[in-house]
mmCIF file of all heavy atoms in Angstrom:
data_model
loop_
_atom_site.group_PDB
_atom_site.id
_atom_site.type_symbol
_atom_site.label_atom_id
_atom_site.label_comp_id
_atom_site.label_asym_id
_atom_site.label_seq_id
_atom_site.Cartn_x
_atom_site.Cartn_y
_atom_site.Cartn_z
ATOM 1 N N GLY C 163 71.763 85.545 167.287
ATOM 2 C CA GLY C 163 70.445 85.924 167.795
ATOM 3 C C GLY C 163 69.677 84.686 168.202
ATOM 4 O O GLY C 163 69.988 83.571 167.755
ATOM 5 N N PRO C 164 68.659 84.867 169.044
ATOM 6 C CA PRO C 164 67.899 83.730 169.566
ATOM 7 C C PRO C 164 67.339 82.838 168.446
ATOM 8 O O PRO C 164 66.692 83.333 167.518
ATOM 9 C CB PRO C 164 66.774 84.409 170.356
ATOM 10 C CG PRO C 164 67.324 85.753 170.727
ATOM 11 C CD PRO C 164 68.199 86.160 169.594
ATOM 12 N N ILE C 165 67.601 81.538 168.575
ATOM 13 C CA ILE C 165 67.213 80.574 167.536
ATOM 14 C C ILE C 165 65.759 80.162 167.733
ATOM 15 O O ILE C 165 65.360 79.713 168.818
ATOM 16 C CB ILE C 165 68.161 79.359 167.576
ATOM 17 C CG1 ILE C 165 69.572 79.796 167.145
ATOM 18 C CG2 ILE C 165 67.642 78.244 166.671
ATOM 19 C CD1 ILE C 165 70.651 78.773 167.448
ATOM 20 N N ILE C 166 64.980 80.308 166.667
ATOM 21 C CA ILE C 166 63.549 79.986 166.724
ATOM 22 C C ILE C 166 63.318 78.523 166.357
ATOM 23 O O ILE C 166 62.536 77.825 166.998
ATOM 24 C CB ILE C 166 62.773 80.909 165.749
ATOM 25 C CG1 ILE C 166 62.970 82.376 166.136
ATOM 26 C CG2 ILE C 166 61.288 80.541 165.711
ATOM 27 C CD1 ILE C 166 62.681 83.364 165.011
ATOM 28 N N ALA C 167 63.985 78.071 165.304
ATOM 29 C CA ALA C 167 63.758 76.703 164.822
ATOM 30 C C ALA C 167 64.967 76.252 164.020
ATOM 31 O O ALA C 167 65.676 77.078 163.436
ATOM 32 C CB ALA C 167 62.501 76.655 163.948
ATOM 33 N N GLN C 168 65.200 74.938 164.012
ATOM 34 C CA GLN C 168 66.309 74.387 163.226
ATOM 35 C C GLN C 168 65.880 73.097 162.555
ATOM 36 O O GLN C 168 65.054 72.351 163.091
ATOM 37 C CB GLN C 168 67.538 74.112 164.114
ATOM 38 C CG GLN C 168 68.170 75.407 164.626
ATOM 39 C CD GLN C 168 69.456 75.188 165.384
ATOM 40 O OE1 GLN C 168 69.467 74.424 166.341
ATOM 41 N NE2 GLN C 168 70.519 75.871 164.989
ATOM 42 N N ALA C 169 66.465 72.853 161.390
ATOM 43 C CA ALA C 169 66.274 71.571 160.693
ATOM 44 C C ALA C 169 67.633 70.940 160.504
ATOM 45 O O ALA C 169 68.575 71.609 160.064
ATOM 46 C CB ALA C 169 65.592 71.786 159.344
ATOM 47 N N ALA C 170 67.737 69.676 160.838
ATOM 48 C CA ALA C 170 68.988 68.934 160.636
ATOM 49 C C ALA C 170 68.922 68.214 159.295
ATOM 50 O O ALA C 170 67.881 67.684 158.903
ATOM 51 C CB ALA C 170 69.176 67.935 161.770
ATOM 52 N N VAL C 171 70.036 68.224 158.598
ATOM 53 C CA VAL C 171 70.112 67.632 157.250
ATOM 54 C C VAL C 171 71.377 66.783 157.196
ATOM 55 O O VAL C 171 72.451 67.267 157.559
ATOM 56 C CB VAL C 171 70.178 68.754 156.180
ATOM 57 C CG1 VAL C 171 70.417 68.185 154.792
ATOM 58 C CG2 VAL C 171 68.903 69.592 156.202
ATOM 59 N N PRO C 172 71.273 65.525 156.756
ATOM 60 C CA PRO C 172 72.478 64.692 156.714
ATOM 61 C C PRO C 172 73.420 65.109 155.591
ATOM 62 O O PRO C 172 72.977 65.540 154.527
ATOM 63 C CB PRO C 172 71.922 63.287 156.447
ATOM 64 C CG PRO C 172 70.613 63.519 155.769
ATOM 65 C CD PRO C 172 70.063 64.818 156.312
ATOM 66 N N VAL C 173 74.702 64.969 155.852
ATOM 67 C CA VAL C 173 75.712 65.110 154.793
ATOM 68 C C VAL C 173 75.984 63.691 154.304
ATOM 69 O O VAL C 173 76.316 62.815 155.107
ATOM 70 C CB VAL C 173 77.007 65.740 155.344
ATOM 71 C CG1 VAL C 173 78.038 65.878 154.236
ATOM 72 C CG2 VAL C 173 76.713 67.090 155.988
ATOM 73 N N LEU C 174 75.816 63.464 153.019
ATOM 74 C CA LEU C 174 75.946 62.102 152.498
ATOM 75 C C LEU C 174 77.285 61.919 151.791
ATOM 76 O O LEU C 174 77.850 62.884 151.231
ATOM 77 C CB LEU C 174 74.801 61.804 151.523
ATOM 78 C CG LEU C 174 73.395 61.955 152.114
ATOM 79 C CD1 LEU C 174 72.334 61.578 151.079
ATOM 80 C CD2 LEU C 174 73.221 61.109 153.379
ATOM 81 N N ALA C 175 77.779 60.681 151.796
ATOM 82 C CA ALA C 175 79.023 60.376 151.093
ATOM 83 C C ALA C 175 78.865 60.796 149.640
ATOM 84 O O ALA C 175 77.819 60.563 149.029
ATOM 85 C CB ALA C 175 79.303 58.880 151.181
ATOM 86 N N GLY C 176 79.855 61.447 149.097
ATOM 87 C CA GLY C 176 79.782 61.850 147.688
ATOM 88 C C GLY C 176 79.146 63.207 147.479
ATOM 89 O O GLY C 176 79.074 63.695 146.350
ATOM 90 N N ASP C 177 78.653 63.831 148.552
ATOM 91 C CA ASP C 177 78.057 65.165 148.390
ATOM 92 C C ASP C 177 79.092 66.159 147.880
ATOM 93 O O ASP C 177 80.221 66.185 148.373
ATOM 94 C CB ASP C 177 77.571 65.707 149.748
ATOM 95 C CG ASP C 177 76.118 65.362 150.006
ATOM 96 O OD1 ASP C 177 75.458 64.811 149.106
ATOM 97 O OD2 ASP C 177 75.645 65.656 151.126
ATOM 98 N N ASP C 178 78.694 66.975 146.924
ATOM 99 C CA ASP C 178 79.478 68.175 146.634
ATOM 100 C C ASP C 178 78.652 69.355 147.154
ATOM 101 O O ASP C 178 77.558 69.183 147.687
ATOM 102 C CB ASP C 178 79.844 68.297 145.153
ATOM 103 C CG ASP C 178 78.617 68.359 144.258
ATOM 104 O OD1 ASP C 178 77.491 68.531 144.782
ATOM 105 O OD2 ASP C 178 78.778 68.239 143.029
ATOM 106 N N GLU C 179 79.210 70.549 146.978
ATOM 107 C CA GLU C 179 78.559 71.728 147.546
ATOM 108 C C GLU C 179 77.138 71.897 147.005
ATOM 109 O O GLU C 179 76.206 72.205 147.758
ATOM 110 C CB GLU C 179 79.420 72.951 147.181
ATOM 111 C CG GLU C 179 79.245 74.115 148.095
ATOM 112 C CD GLU C 179 80.143 75.282 147.697
ATOM 113 O OE1 GLU C 179 81.247 75.051 147.148
ATOM 114 O OE2 GLU C 179 79.731 76.420 147.944
ATOM 115 N N ALA C 180 76.969 71.655 145.693
ATOM 116 C CA ALA C 180 75.651 71.879 145.078
ATOM 117 C C ALA C 180 74.628 70.884 145.612
ATOM 118 O O ALA C 180 73.476 71.248 145.898
ATOM 119 C CB ALA C 180 75.765 71.764 143.555
ATOM 120 N N ALA C 181 75.040 69.626 145.756
ATOM 121 C CA ALA C 181 74.104 68.599 146.236
ATOM 122 C C ALA C 181 73.693 68.895 147.672
ATOM 123 O O ALA C 181 72.510 68.783 148.034
ATOM 124 C CB ALA C 181 74.749 67.215 146.141
ATOM 125 N N LEU C 182 74.660 69.282 148.487
ATOM 126 C CA LEU C 182 74.349 69.580 149.887
ATOM 127 C C LEU C 182 73.480 70.835 149.990
ATOM 128 O O LEU C 182 72.498 70.871 150.744
ATOM 129 C CB LEU C 182 75.651 69.745 150.683
ATOM 130 C CG LEU C 182 75.495 69.981 152.179
ATOM 131 C CD1 LEU C 182 74.678 68.860 152.836
ATOM 132 C CD2 LEU C 182 76.865 70.092 152.836
ATOM 133 N N ALA C 183 73.812 71.847 149.196
ATOM 134 C CA ALA C 183 73.023 73.096 149.219
ATOM 135 C C ALA C 183 71.571 72.814 148.845
ATOM 136 O O ALA C 183 70.641 73.358 149.456
ATOM 137 C CB ALA C 183 73.634 74.114 148.263
ATOM 138 N N ALA C 184 71.369 71.948 147.855
ATOM 139 C CA ALA C 184 69.997 71.655 147.403
ATOM 140 C C ALA C 184 69.220 70.931 148.497
ATOM 141 O O ALA C 184 68.036 71.216 148.727
ATOM 142 C CB ALA C 184 70.042 70.806 146.137
ATOM 143 N N ARG C 185 69.894 69.990 149.214
ATOM 144 C CA ARG C 185 69.211 69.261 150.285
ATOM 145 C C ARG C 185 68.872 70.198 151.434
ATOM 146 O O ARG C 185 67.778 70.124 152.010
ATOM 147 C CB ARG C 185 70.090 68.094 150.760
ATOM 148 C CG ARG C 185 69.348 67.077 151.620
ATOM 149 C CD ARG C 185 70.200 65.840 151.974
ATOM 150 N NE ARG C 185 70.837 65.275 150.819
ATOM 151 C CZ ARG C 185 72.175 65.210 150.640
ATOM 152 N NH1 ARG C 185 72.998 65.650 151.582
ATOM 153 N NH2 ARG C 185 72.677 64.700 149.554
ATOM 154 N N VAL C 186 69.792 71.092 151.763
ATOM 155 C CA VAL C 186 69.521 72.048 152.851
ATOM 156 C C VAL C 186 68.410 73.016 152.423
ATOM 157 O O VAL C 186 67.532 73.363 153.228
ATOM 158 C CB VAL C 186 70.796 72.806 153.259
ATOM 159 C CG1 VAL C 186 70.482 73.927 154.251
ATOM 160 C CG2 VAL C 186 71.829 71.850 153.865
ATOM 161 N N LEU C 187 68.431 73.425 151.158
ATOM 162 C CA LEU C 187 67.408 74.383 150.700
ATOM 163 C C LEU C 187 65.999 73.786 150.831
ATOM 164 O O LEU C 187 65.065 74.486 151.229
ATOM 165 C CB LEU C 187 67.692 74.801 149.248
ATOM 166 C CG LEU C 187 66.905 76.015 148.752
ATOM 167 C CD1 LEU C 187 67.239 77.288 149.541
ATOM 168 C CD2 LEU C 187 67.162 76.253 147.255
ATOM 169 N N ASP C 188 65.862 72.492 150.527
ATOM 170 C CA ASP C 188 64.552 71.844 150.721
ATOM 171 C C ASP C 188 64.113 71.961 152.179
ATOM 172 O O ASP C 188 62.941 72.225 152.467
ATOM 173 C CB ASP C 188 64.641 70.347 150.372
ATOM 174 C CG ASP C 188 64.504 70.108 148.873
ATOM 175 O OD1 ASP C 188 64.135 71.055 148.147
ATOM 176 O OD2 ASP C 188 64.789 68.971 148.440
ATOM 177 N N ALA C 189 65.072 71.759 153.072
ATOM 178 C CA ALA C 189 64.742 71.873 154.509
ATOM 179 C C ALA C 189 64.401 73.313 154.876
ATOM 180 O O ALA C 189 63.493 73.562 155.682
ATOM 181 C CB ALA C 189 65.908 71.366 155.348
ATOM 182 N N GLU C 190 65.097 74.272 154.280
ATOM 183 C CA GLU C 190 64.792 75.691 154.543
ATOM 184 C C GLU C 190 63.334 75.983 154.198
ATOM 185 O O GLU C 190 62.638 76.695 154.927
ATOM 186 C CB GLU C 190 65.711 76.597 153.712
ATOM 187 C CG GLU C 190 67.174 76.538 154.115
ATOM 188 C CD GLU C 190 68.033 77.516 153.310
ATOM 189 O OE1 GLU C 190 67.627 78.676 153.134
ATOM 190 O OE2 GLU C 190 69.117 77.106 152.853
ATOM 191 N N HIS C 191 62.901 75.437 153.049
ATOM 192 C CA HIS C 191 61.536 75.730 152.582
ATOM 193 C C HIS C 191 60.476 75.141 153.512
ATOM 194 O O HIS C 191 59.354 75.634 153.575
ATOM 195 C CB HIS C 191 61.349 75.205 151.159
ATOM 196 C CG HIS C 191 62.257 75.869 150.163
ATOM 197 N ND1 HIS C 191 62.536 75.349 148.929
ATOM 198 C CD2 HIS C 191 62.980 77.023 150.264
ATOM 199 C CE1 HIS C 191 63.387 76.155 148.286
ATOM 200 N NE2 HIS C 191 63.661 77.179 149.085
ATOM 201 N N ALA C 192 60.826 74.073 154.210
ATOM 202 C CA ALA C 192 59.899 73.507 155.200
ATOM 203 C C ALA C 192 59.984 74.269 156.525
ATOM 204 O O ALA C 192 58.977 74.479 157.208
ATOM 205 C CB ALA C 192 60.219 72.025 155.425
ATOM 206 N N LEU C 193 61.205 74.668 156.879
ATOM 207 C CA LEU C 193 61.430 75.246 158.213
ATOM 208 C C LEU C 193 60.928 76.681 158.336
ATOM 209 O O LEU C 193 60.318 77.051 159.355
ATOM 210 C CB LEU C 193 62.930 75.213 158.536
ATOM 211 C CG LEU C 193 63.274 75.609 159.976
ATOM 212 C CD1 LEU C 193 62.864 74.497 160.949
ATOM 213 C CD2 LEU C 193 64.772 75.891 160.124
ATOM 214 N N TYR C 194 61.198 77.508 157.330
ATOM 215 C CA TYR C 194 60.916 78.941 157.493
ATOM 216 C C TYR C 194 59.416 79.197 157.734
ATOM 217 O O TYR C 194 59.049 79.938 158.661
ATOM 218 C CB TYR C 194 61.465 79.731 156.296
ATOM 219 C CG TYR C 194 61.928 81.148 156.625
ATOM 220 C CD1 TYR C 194 62.671 81.880 155.702
ATOM 221 C CD2 TYR C 194 61.628 81.767 157.831
ATOM 222 C CE1 TYR C 194 63.116 83.178 155.986
ATOM 223 C CE2 TYR C 194 62.060 83.061 158.120
ATOM 224 C CZ TYR C 194 62.793 83.761 157.189
ATOM 225 O OH TYR C 194 63.213 85.039 157.478
ATOM 226 N N PRO C 195 58.536 78.557 156.958
ATOM 227 C CA PRO C 195 57.105 78.788 157.231
ATOM 228 C C PRO C 195 56.686 78.359 158.635
ATOM 229 O O PRO C 195 55.837 78.998 159.258
ATOM 230 C CB PRO C 195 56.406 77.934 156.166
ATOM 231 C CG PRO C 195 57.395 77.844 155.049
ATOM 232 C CD PRO C 195 58.744 77.771 155.720
ATOM 233 N N MET C 196 57.294 77.284 159.157
ATOM 234 C CA MET C 196 56.938 76.856 160.525
ATOM 235 C C MET C 196 57.446 77.857 161.548
ATOM 236 O O MET C 196 56.752 78.181 162.513
ATOM 237 C CB MET C 196 57.508 75.469 160.814
ATOM 238 C CG MET C 196 56.733 74.402 160.090
ATOM 239 S SD MET C 196 56.866 72.813 160.886
ATOM 240 C CE MET C 196 58.456 72.314 160.330
ATOM 241 N N ALA C 197 58.664 78.339 161.331
ATOM 242 C CA ALA C 197 59.240 79.290 162.283
ATOM 243 C C ALA C 197 58.442 80.596 162.283
ATOM 244 O O ALA C 197 58.145 81.155 163.346
ATOM 245 C CB ALA C 197 60.698 79.555 161.923
ATOM 246 N N LEU C 198 58.079 81.070 161.106
ATOM 247 C CA LEU C 198 57.289 82.307 161.049
ATOM 248 C C LEU C 198 55.943 82.100 161.738
ATOM 249 O O LEU C 198 55.463 82.979 162.467
ATOM 250 C CB LEU C 198 57.099 82.764 159.590
ATOM 251 C CG LEU C 198 56.173 83.966 159.415
ATOM 252 C CD1 LEU C 198 56.666 85.201 160.182
ATOM 253 C CD2 LEU C 198 55.986 84.304 157.925
ATOM 254 N N ALA C 199 55.349 80.936 161.523
ATOM 255 C CA ALA C 199 54.055 80.667 162.165
ATOM 256 C C ALA C 199 54.197 80.663 163.688
ATOM 257 O O ALA C 199 53.323 81.170 164.404
ATOM 258 C CB ALA C 199 53.493 79.329 161.680
ATOM 259 N N LEU C 200 55.289 80.099 164.184
ATOM 260 C CA LEU C 200 55.506 80.076 165.638
ATOM 261 C C LEU C 200 55.603 81.492 166.194
ATOM 262 O O LEU C 200 55.052 81.802 167.246
ATOM 263 C CB LEU C 200 56.776 79.293 165.980
ATOM 264 C CG LEU C 200 56.681 77.773 165.868
ATOM 265 C CD1 LEU C 200 58.060 77.142 166.002
ATOM 266 C CD2 LEU C 200 55.739 77.214 166.925
ATOM 267 N N VAL C 201 56.309 82.360 165.471
ATOM 268 C CA VAL C 201 56.474 83.742 165.940
ATOM 269 C C VAL C 201 55.160 84.514 165.778
ATOM 270 O O VAL C 201 54.704 85.188 166.709
ATOM 271 C CB VAL C 201 57.610 84.449 165.172
ATOM 272 C CG1 VAL C 201 57.677 85.926 165.536
ATOM 273 C CG2 VAL C 201 58.950 83.763 165.464
ATOM 274 N N ALA C 202 54.559 84.413 164.606
ATOM 275 C CA ALA C 202 53.365 85.221 164.304
ATOM 276 C C ALA C 202 52.200 84.844 165.213
ATOM 277 O O ALA C 202 51.373 85.689 165.559
ATOM 278 C CB ALA C 202 52.985 85.057 162.839
ATOM 279 N N SER C 203 52.148 83.583 165.604
ATOM 280 C CA SER C 203 51.045 83.145 166.473
ATOM 281 C C SER C 203 51.311 83.477 167.940
ATOM 282 O O SER C 203 50.464 83.241 168.794
ATOM 283 C CB SER C 203 50.844 81.626 166.329
ATOM 284 O OG SER C 203 51.997 80.945 166.798
ATOM 285 N N GLY C 204 52.514 83.974 168.228
ATOM 286 C CA GLY C 204 52.861 84.309 169.611
ATOM 287 C C GLY C 204 53.319 83.110 170.415
ATOM 288 O O GLY C 204 53.537 83.204 171.631
ATOM 289 N N ARG C 205 53.499 81.964 169.742
ATOM 290 C CA ARG C 205 53.893 80.748 170.487
ATOM 291 C C ARG C 205 55.396 80.658 170.696
ATOM 292 O O ARG C 205 55.854 79.858 171.487
ATOM 293 C CB ARG C 205 53.397 79.506 169.750
ATOM 294 C CG ARG C 205 51.895 79.419 169.752
ATOM 295 C CD ARG C 205 51.430 78.067 169.207
ATOM 296 N NE ARG C 205 50.014 77.915 169.401
ATOM 297 C CZ ARG C 205 49.125 78.128 168.434
ATOM 298 N NH1 ARG C 205 49.517 78.475 167.246
ATOM 299 N NH2 ARG C 205 47.847 77.988 168.683
ATOM 300 N N ALA C 206 56.156 81.462 169.957
ATOM 301 C CA ALA C 206 57.615 81.506 170.167
ATOM 302 C C ALA C 206 57.955 82.913 170.628
ATOM 303 O O ALA C 206 57.647 83.891 169.938
ATOM 304 C CB ALA C 206 58.345 81.183 168.867
ATOM 305 N N ARG C 207 58.552 83.007 171.801
ATOM 306 C CA ARG C 207 58.868 84.316 172.383
ATOM 307 C C ARG C 207 60.289 84.313 172.912
ATOM 308 O O ARG C 207 60.789 83.284 173.369
ATOM 309 C CB ARG C 207 57.913 84.629 173.543
ATOM 310 C CG ARG C 207 56.494 84.972 173.104
ATOM 311 C CD ARG C 207 55.575 85.191 174.295
ATOM 312 N NE ARG C 207 55.514 84.020 175.158
ATOM 313 C CZ ARG C 207 56.003 83.970 176.402
ATOM 314 N NH1 ARG C 207 56.582 85.021 176.948
ATOM 315 N NH2 ARG C 207 55.903 82.881 177.119
ATOM 316 N N VAL C 208 60.910 85.499 172.861
ATOM 317 C CA VAL C 208 62.271 85.622 173.385
ATOM 318 C C VAL C 208 62.191 85.833 174.895
ATOM 319 O O VAL C 208 61.543 86.758 175.369
ATOM 320 C CB VAL C 208 63.012 86.822 172.748
ATOM 321 C CG1 VAL C 208 64.431 86.916 173.306
ATOM 322 C CG2 VAL C 208 63.047 86.674 171.232
#
Side-chain angles (χ1 to χ4, degrees):
I165 293 167
I166 300 160
Q168 292 186 305
V171 173
V173 180
L174 302 182
D177 268 354
D178 60 12
E179 204 179 329
L182 183 56
R185 194 174 311 117
V186 172
L187 193 63
D188 277 349
E190 293 183 45
H191 297 162
L193 188 73
Y194 212 168
M196 286 205 281
L198 174 59
L200 285 170
V201 173
S203 64
R205 293 189 171 100
R207 287 177 302 112
V208 180

